Amino acid sequence: MSTALIILAAGKGTRMNSDLPKVLHPIAHAPMLEHAMASGRSLAPDHCVVVAGHEADQVRAAVTEIDEDAIVVVQEEQLGTGHAVLQARAALSEFTGDVVILYGDTPFVSEDTIQRMIAARSRADLVVLGFDAKDPARYGRLVLQGDALERIVEYKDATEAERAITLCNSGLMAGNAQQIFDLLDKVGNENASGEYYLTDLVELARGAGHAVAAVTCDEAETLGVNSRADLAAADAVFQSRARAELLDLGVTLMAPDTVYLAYDTIIGRDTVIEPNVVFGPGVTVESGALIRAFSHLEGCHVSRGSKVGPYARLRPGAELAEDTHIGNFVEIKNAQIAEGAKVNHLSYIGDASVGKETNIGAGTITCNYDGVMKHRTEIGARAFIGSNTLLVAPVKIGREAMTGSGTVVTKDVDDGDLALARSAQINKPGLAYKLMDMLRAKKAKQTKG
């Protein structure tokens, strides 16, 4: 059976107190909407329709970046969840398969749960996702009759017996697309809010003779985000799960609670991550690497056996080959560091390539920006770059070449050459004594005045 996703992402999120649409607030460096879309991706859906509303242009731009094939439709007026789903009807007019309805602010529904919802379609026309809540007071209850879902009742409308039920409604549903749209046409808005509720489908489906079933999941999967506090809690949930997964895969986290991971972080087994390391998007660390404390990595690749940090920063485009060393207070950006090369202290290497087994001395800087354009530095294998060398790009340093400490390199250095570019040292006998005496006398005069 072919499937489609409808993801509701139209809410303003007033409690977020933000100009950014709620569903675009990040969890682990990715919009929560992206997490919801990723959950549904396990179905390999034929269509993904995102229903936007507040700041729809921002949502559309984000969705296009996540999945250029996804369709964004706009709910001009926010008239309830049922009304939101109806906005997807035109986009799915030719579609005859099953649809799964997700929420952009409920980012943690697992692939397994969604698969079980689709599997339950073999015994029911409409499937609703429920969960056993620790504190169910504010949730709608799922009232079962045997294995069938009889109705959804809101807490304020529930009897004492119904309020004792802990099986609650998540809002997620699955069913035949055209059947859901036909039922939504019959949903009214005779309620205090004047809105069209998706939950009314259960009663309408049963009234039409359709079978309705409930599938359950862990409460943590249904965590919704409506405030900054909720966002922080959701991020903490993601981090806890991601760290546990890395530990299970054979990665050593010396202080797990201090390591911050991105949604797409990949780390190989036997890698050691010291405390207070931050991973931004797009990081791959191969097996057997060492990432020392207080380092920040983003958009980079670290190969087997490499050592990074402490206090190192790897920016997008940093490529470290095997057994490289990147030391304290070193920044690497858009640069390839070849096997066995070392950049150990207080250096900036940007828009550059560093050859195999080359040593970059402390304080070295590739001067890659002229105020308008970026320029590249190329350093050959087994070169030795002296401390405090300034490499004014574009420039090439040959194989096994050297630069003297404090050199400003403005032209290419051939293989095996030594580059020196600094003024000759001049010593003035006794001048230090005279200068200090003069300065002290000047200070004493100012103090008396």
Side-chain angles (χ1 to χ4, degrees), residues 202-365:
V202 173
E203 184 177 349
L204 289 169
R206 285 181 59 82
H210 301 310
V212 183
V215 167
T216 61
C217 69
D218 187 270
E219 183 177 4
E221 292 188 37
T222 67
L223 177 66
V225 177
N226 295 298
S227 66
R228 300 281 183 164
D230 290 344
L231 184 69
D235 201 283
V237 168
F238 177 92
Q239 295 300 324
S240 180
R241 291 178 180 176
R243 293 167 188 147
E245 183 177 343
L246 287 179
L247 292 168
D248 287 343
L249 291 173
V251 177
T252 295
L253 305 178
M254 294 177 66
D257 288 348
T258 70
V259 176
Y260 190 88
L261 302 163
Y263 68 101
D264 60 351
T265 302
I266 298 173
I267 304 176
R269 63 187 294 183
D270 293 322
T271 284
V272 176
I273 310 296
E274 291 186 357
N276 297 295
V277 175
V278 174
F279 292 91
V283 177
T284 297
V285 180
E286 293 185 12
S287 299
L290 171 62
I291 312 298
R292 290 194 165 117
F294 294 97
S295 295
H296 189 288
L297 293 76
E298 179 181 1
C300 62
H301 177 261
V302 179
S303 295
R304 180 185 295 269
S306 293
K307 297 178 181 178
V308 176
Y311 295 97
R313 186 181 182 195
L314 301 184
R315 291 173 57 193
E319 292 278 345
L320 308 188
E322 293 186 0
D323 300 316
T324 54
H325 289 190
I326 306 299
N328 49 290
F329 301 103
V330 171
E331 181 177 339
I332 309 290
K333 188 271 294 186
N334 190 31
Q336 295 74 51
I337 313 299
E339 181 180 354
K342 297 179 180 179
V343 189
N344 273 331
H345 317 283
L346 302 158
S347 295
Y348 170 70
I349 305 297
D351 298 296
S353 61
V354 176
K356 182 178 180 179
E357 297 176 3
T358 282
N359 187 84
I360 306 294
T364 294
I365 295 175

Side-chain angles (χ1 to χ4, degrees), residues 365-394:
I365 295 175
T366 57
C367 306
N368 55 334
Y369 185 49
D370 62 11
V372 178
M373 303 287 290
K374 293 290 182 70
H375 302 280
R376 192 163 182 81
T377 299
E378 298 180 15
I379 304 172
R382 292 179 295 282
F384 185 91
I385 307 300
S387 297
N388 288 321
T389 293
L390 302 183
L391 300 161
V392 183

Side-chain angles (χ1 to χ4, degrees), residues 75-135:
Q75 184 187 24
E76 298 291 352
E77 292 184 272
Q78 277 70 68
L79 300 178
T81 51
H83 179 260
V85 173
L86 275 174
Q87 308 313 301
R89 173 181 249 160
L92 297 175
S93 59
E94 304 291 324
F95 180 70
T96 59
D98 278 0
V99 67
V100 178
I101 300 167
L102 305 174
Y103 289 79
D105 61 359
T106 306
F108 295 142
V109 179
S110 70
E111 295 179 1
D112 174 70
T113 293
I114 294 174
Q115 293 283 1
R116 287 190 294 108
M117 290 178 69
I118 289 295
R121 284 278 291 114
S122 64
R123 58 184 172 87
D125 299 295
L126 183 66
V127 178
V128 176
L129 181 64
F131 62 96
D132 280 305
K134 292 180 181 178
D135 179 16

Side-chain angles (χ1 to χ4, degrees), residues 151-172:
R151 66 187 184 279
I152 301 175
V153 59
E154 296 303 322
Y155 178 79
K156 63 181 183 295
D157 300 321
T159 65
E160 287 302 317
E162 288 168 341
R163 289 181 178 183
I165 296 171
T166 59
L167 183 62
C168 297
N169 177 40
S170 73
L172 278 68

Side-chain angles (χ1 to χ4, degrees), residues 388-437:
N388 288 321
T389 293
L390 302 183
L391 300 161
V392 183
V395 69
K396 295 181 179 180
I397 309 297
R399 295 167 60 88
E400 299 177 348
M402 298 179 68
T403 67
S405 297
T407 292
V408 180
V409 179
T410 58
K411 58 185 180 181
D412 293 351
V413 180
D414 291 335
D415 294 351
D417 285 2
L418 168 64
L420 294 171
R422 59 189 180 207
S423 300
Q425 180 173 323
I426 300 173
N427 292 349
K428 300 289 186 177
L431 185 59
Y433 292 126
K434 295 177 183 178
L435 180 60
M436 290 303 295
D437 288 343

